[in-house]
Amino acid sequence: MRANSWGYAPIIRMTNISVEPGNDGNLDSLIADTKDGIYMETNKSWSIDSMRYNFQFSTEIGWEIKDGKKGRMLKNPSYSGITPEFWNSCDAICDSSEFIYWGEPNCGKGQPMQLMWTGHGASPARFKNVQVGIARK
Amino acid sequence: MIQDTDAKKIIDQARNYAQGKCQGIEVTINANNVATSRFANNEMTQNQAPEVLDLSIRVIKDGRQIRLSGDDASEAGVKKLIDSALDSIKVLKPDEELLPLETLASADDFEKEAEMASRIDEEAMAMSAQDRANQIKMMIQIASQEGLSAAGVYASGSTLQAIGNSEGDGIVCHKESSLESSITVSTPDSSGWAKMVASQLRQLDAHALADRATTKAKLSRAPHDIDPGRYTVILEPSAVLDLVTFLWSDFAATQHLDKQSCLLDKEGQKVFGQNINIIDDAYDDMQIGAPFDGEGKQRQKVQLVKDGVFKNMVYGRKAAKKMNHKPTGHGVQEPSSMGEHPMNLVMTGGTDSLGKMIESTDKGILLTRVWYVRLVDPARKIVTGITRDGTFLVEGGAIKHGVKNLRFNVSLLDLLNNVESMTLSNLTAGEEGFPAVVPGMKVRDFNFTEMTRF
């Protein structure tokens, strides 16, 4: 439970939820281990339904991966899906050498709105059979 | 809560203390006593009634500027904040874009300024916790009579904003009453929602909100699956607002200087359908908010879109100087990289009603609201989001049944070129941005890309 300040009611916040590092080497080795995929970098925007099932996240930049090598650059890539299916499709998580605590300065919740810093750590991870680029369909 | 005279006293204290210590000082006071009463599971759960004061001071010295804020507006608190700013500003680099402060309205005129665009309703400001509880009781009864569960808020109070700087003894001050109510009515497999904000009690019909939310929850029970694809949609005003709110920043001059606007180099060109007219007008009868910007400059009325043509953008002082244009009174608090933002949007509506839109639709989808809307492609202004709290299939001119919520990916540039008809415009509240005066819309080729599980 956290509040913006004394003038706000404390509400439940997920301020420090992280994905633990895995045992699948560093990012270079994960890319080298991928035959056909997309490496997405950054997180530009995120949208989820009110029960956290369907999501669509957009990134600024990505690269095709073919036979273990980064290839063509991709602009504004996005990925979407159903949360339990997406996390069940995760087949690799890089180790602690790649782990970063990412931050988000303005996570909004509540009425009246409360904005709060959040910190979520992760290493690069690989997910199979994910819908990408649906905005262009 | 503090009054206009209290705000002036605080600002004068700051001006006097800072004299000779720096080249300029700007003082902004935002205060409110908006109390929020909450309810959930058909019970009132909370009455939160804070008195909030935010004192924000910008100090300018040796080509540098800094803004610090706090909530202690006592004489000692004001001095401490200024001392902290004077101490901290030493470690900052000079700001090459810093503009000198400008003279605001004279002290003699500040009462007149306070009356400008007056939005004070004594009855709204006088609402007690019991009054709000009575409204909530009525809203809960409407849902519970149908065996449904209601949750929401009823908030009332007033806000005050005042700005003064060291260029003369001028001050601008605006006070208004503030009301907000929203309700979500739930069944095990559906929900309905309605929300309204207002400055006048007569504008907020909590009974109507509860009726709408309850009706929507009942109508959307047992939602059907539906294939994603392109549909004609009927967007209720809140759905319109939470989409077009992502377009407002594209009318900000700094967005054009930074080449971030989807309307870049299109001023004077037809960018939307002939039926789209948008104006930024702080003085519109239905609007709310202060008639001055973050630096205390009086807001100008700006026609943004006329008959689909992108006519004008809004300018803060920095962008105006760079673009050889007069500021329009839309600047945000400095220092800021944002520059300016339109704040009082008014879209011209049409003559249709939602009922007529439904009657004239062979196959389409009616959206109560959209949720968690986010930008996907800034140049084509594609946004994604999900429907919520009342999504319905319309067939043969009537609502057929509720459907499971759908994700959409829609270009706002396309959306405002595909508007077939509109309702009257009214002050509308959503969740993604600030309220605006917008209509409901019937829009063709709205792109649903996925369906969720409920």
Side-chain angles (χ1 to χ4, degrees):
Chain A
M1 301 285 281
R2 297 181 73 187
N4 250 19
S5 71
W6 65 268
Y8 291 85
I11 50 179
I12 296 167
R13 307 294 303 228
M14 292 175 64
T15 40
N16 300 104
I17 306 294
S18 298
V19 178
E20 286 189 5
N23 300 304
D24 296 298
N26 60 20
L27 178 59
D28 288 342
S29 64
L30 184 61
I31 290 171
D33 184 55
T34 303
K35 186 170 173 54
D36 184 8
I38 295 173
Y39 169 54
M40 294 189 188
E41 201 173 278
T42 75
N43 190 342
K44 186 171 69 179
S45 68
W46 45 92
S47 174
I48 52 176
D49 70 39
S50 53
M51 292 179 73
R52 279 65 176 151
Y53 275 114
N54 178 274
F55 67 88
Q56 180 178 322
F57 292 167
S58 299
T59 67
E60 288 187 4
I61 193 167
W63 288 268
E64 278 184 346
I65 301 172
K66 295 287 183 195
D67 297 324
K69 289 185 179 151
K70 271 167 73 175
R72 188 168 65 109
M73 186 187 292
L74 301 171
K75 192 174 170 185
N76 293 322
S78 67
Y79 58 104
S80 57
I82 298 291
T83 303
E85 294 170 6
F86 177 76
W87 284 100
N88 273 302
S89 77
C90 180
D91 77 338
I93 302 176
C94 289
D95 62 27
S96 58
S97 68
E98 300 281 357
F99 187 86
I100 294 175
Y101 272 110
W102 301 98
E104 164 57 37
N106 57 350
C107 182
K109 188 176 184 181
Q111 191 178 2
M113 179 61 73
Q114 299 191 43
L115 297 176
M116 194 169 287
W117 276 94
T118 61
H120 302 299
S123 297
R126 186 172 63 193
F127 301 82
K128 294 202 161 179
N129 300 316
V130 176
Q131 174 73 56
V132 299
I134 202 158
R136 293 187 178 271
K137 288 193 174 177
Chain B
M1 193 179 77
I2 66 163
Q3 300 301 313
D4 306 356
T5 46
D6 305 314
K8 185 176 183 315
K9 189 178 165 191
I10 295 165
I11 290 170
D12 284 342
Q13 277 174 355
R15 284 198 272 231
N16 291 336
Y17 184 68
Q19 202 165 22
K21 297 183 175 74
C22 57
Q23 282 85 53
I25 185 168
E26 179 188 77
V27 186
T28 303
I29 295 170
N30 280 295
N32 80 75
N33 64 357
V34 176
T36 304
S37 299
R38 294 189 169 83
F39 57 105
N41 300 323
N42 287 348
E43 291 179 5
M44 189 165 168
T45 55
Q46 191 179 66
N47 179 48
Q48 180 192 357
E51 287 217 0
V52 177
L53 185 146
D54 180 72
L55 173 65
S56 177
I57 292 182
R58 176 161 66 122
V59 166
I60 294 173
K61 187 176 184 183
D62 300 334
R64 299 166 168 86
Q65 62 173 330
I66 190 168
R67 178 178 292 280
L68 295 186
S69 60
D71 59 6
D72 184 357
S74 67
E75 189 168 358
V78 169
K79 287 179 179 176
K80 191 176 174 187
L81 199 58
I82 293 171
D83 286 341
S84 295
L86 290 167
D87 201 32
S88 305
I89 201 169
K90 294 172 193 165
V91 301
L92 296 180
K93 290 180 180 172
D95 185 341
E96 291 175 1
E97 296 187 337
L98 175 62
L99 294 176
L101 296 169
E102 278 191 357
T103 305
L104 301 179
S106 74
D108 293 338
D109 287 342
F110 93 87
E111 284 185 11
K112 199 174 90 185
E113 290 281 336
E115 288 169 11
M116 190 167 58
S118 174
R119 285 158 185 151
I120 295 175
D121 177 7
E122 298 291 345
E123 203 181 352
M125 290 195 296
M127 283 190 83
S128 65
Q130 184 63 55
D131 293 332
R132 289 190 299 278
N134 290 341
Q135 291 290 307
I136 286 172
K137 184 178 180 184
M138 175 267 294
M139 295 170 87
I140 287 173
Q141 279 175 346
I142 290 170
S144 62
Q145 280 167 7
E146 301 290 339
L148 307 183
S149 178
V153 302
Y154 195 106
S156 67
S158 59
T159 63
L160 179 142
Q161 186 183 4
I163 303 175
N165 66 33
S166 51
E167 291 299 305
D169 59 357
I171 178 173
V172 290
C173 186
H174 178 79
K175 185 177 178 182
E176 70 181 36
S177 40
S178 176
L179 295 162
E180 176 179 325
S181 184
S182 71
I183 177 169
T184 302
V185 176
S186 303
T187 82
D189 61 2
S190 69
S191 57
W193 172 89
K195 181 179 180 181
M196 185 62 194
V197 296
S199 63
Q200 316 288 316
L201 197 52
R202 62 179 162 73
Q203 296 170 319
L204 183 62
D205 186 347
H207 192 284
L209 295 181
D211 264 344
R212 279 176 52 207
T214 302
T215 302
K216 283 178 179 299
K218 284 164 60 185
L219 272 175
S220 56
R221 273 177 164 160
H224 296 209
D225 286 354
I226 188 167
D227 290 332
R230 290 184 182 269
Y231 289 82
T232 290
V233 290
I234 297 163
L235 304 171
E236 295 202 11
S238 290
V240 170
L241 176 64
D242 277 345
L243 289 167
V244 296
T245 197
F246 285 83
L247 200 58
W248 301 150
S249 63
D250 293 273
F251 293 97
T254 301
Q255 290 284 307
H256 289 255
L257 280 171
D258 293 346
K259 302 191 186 302
Q260 296 287 311
S261 171
C262 69
L263 301 174
L264 187 65
D265 298 328
K266 290 181 180 168
E267 200 170 19
Q269 294 179 28
K270 196 156 185 300
V271 290
F272 303 131
Q274 185 80 14
N275 52 359
I276 302 302
N277 290 279
I278 308 171
I279 196 163
D280 189 276
D281 183 5
Y283 310 96
D284 185 277
D285 285 343
M286 287 185 277
Q287 269 291 350
I288 53 177
F292 49 83
D293 72 5
E295 290 190 278
K297 281 194 82 66
Q298 187 175 342
R299 295 195 186 284
Q300 308 295 311
K301 189 172 166 179
V302 180
Q303 181 89 48
L304 304 175
V305 178
K306 175 74 175 166
D307 299 333
V309 176
F310 172 24
K311 299 294 283 186
N312 297 291
M313 50 188 106
V314 297
Y315 297 82
R317 291 174 64 219
K318 275 194 305 192
K321 187 183 178 196
K322 289 178 188 172
M323 298 170 83
N324 197 26
H325 197 281
K326 284 186 176 174
T328 58
H330 291 84
V332 299
Q333 279 190 348
E334 291 291 334
S336 164
S337 58
M338 188 183 187
E340 61 283 303
H341 201 280
M343 289 299 295
N344 299 95
L345 284 306
V346 179
M347 289 188 81
T348 305
T351 55
D352 244 351
S353 64
L354 285 172
K356 279 188 179 174
M357 287 179 179
I358 292 167
E359 283 173 18
S360 66
T361 303
D362 286 337
K363 186 170 185 184
I365 295 176
L366 168 65
L367 304 188
T368 300
R369 66 183 291 207
V370 293
W371 196 67
Y372 227 129
V373 182
R374 292 295 180 270
L375 194 57
V376 176
D377 183 332
R380 295 191 299 158
K381 210 65 189 180
I382 295 174
V383 296
T384 187
I386 195 109
T387 68
R388 187 174 175 178
D389 298 328
T391 305
F392 302 95
L393 177 67
V394 175
E395 262 186 3
I399 292 176
K400 194 160 186 191
H401 51 68
V403 295
K404 288 182 181 172
N405 288 299
L406 292 155
R407 173 164 297 284
F408 56 84
N409 279 268
V410 171
S411 161
L412 298 182
L413 298 172
D414 292 344
L415 181 109
L416 292 185
N417 272 292
N418 292 338
V419 177
E420 293 185 347
S421 65
M422 290 182 278
T423 67
L424 281 172
S425 285
N426 267 309
L427 182 63
T428 300
E431 296 287 350
E432 296 291 358
F434 42 81
V437 179
V438 299
M441 288 179 175
K442 182 173 172 181
V443 180
R444 63 182 172 273
D445 287 336
F446 195 90
N447 188 24
F448 293 107
T449 49
E450 289 175 323
M451 184 180 64
T452 190
R453 294 286 168 86
F454 60 96

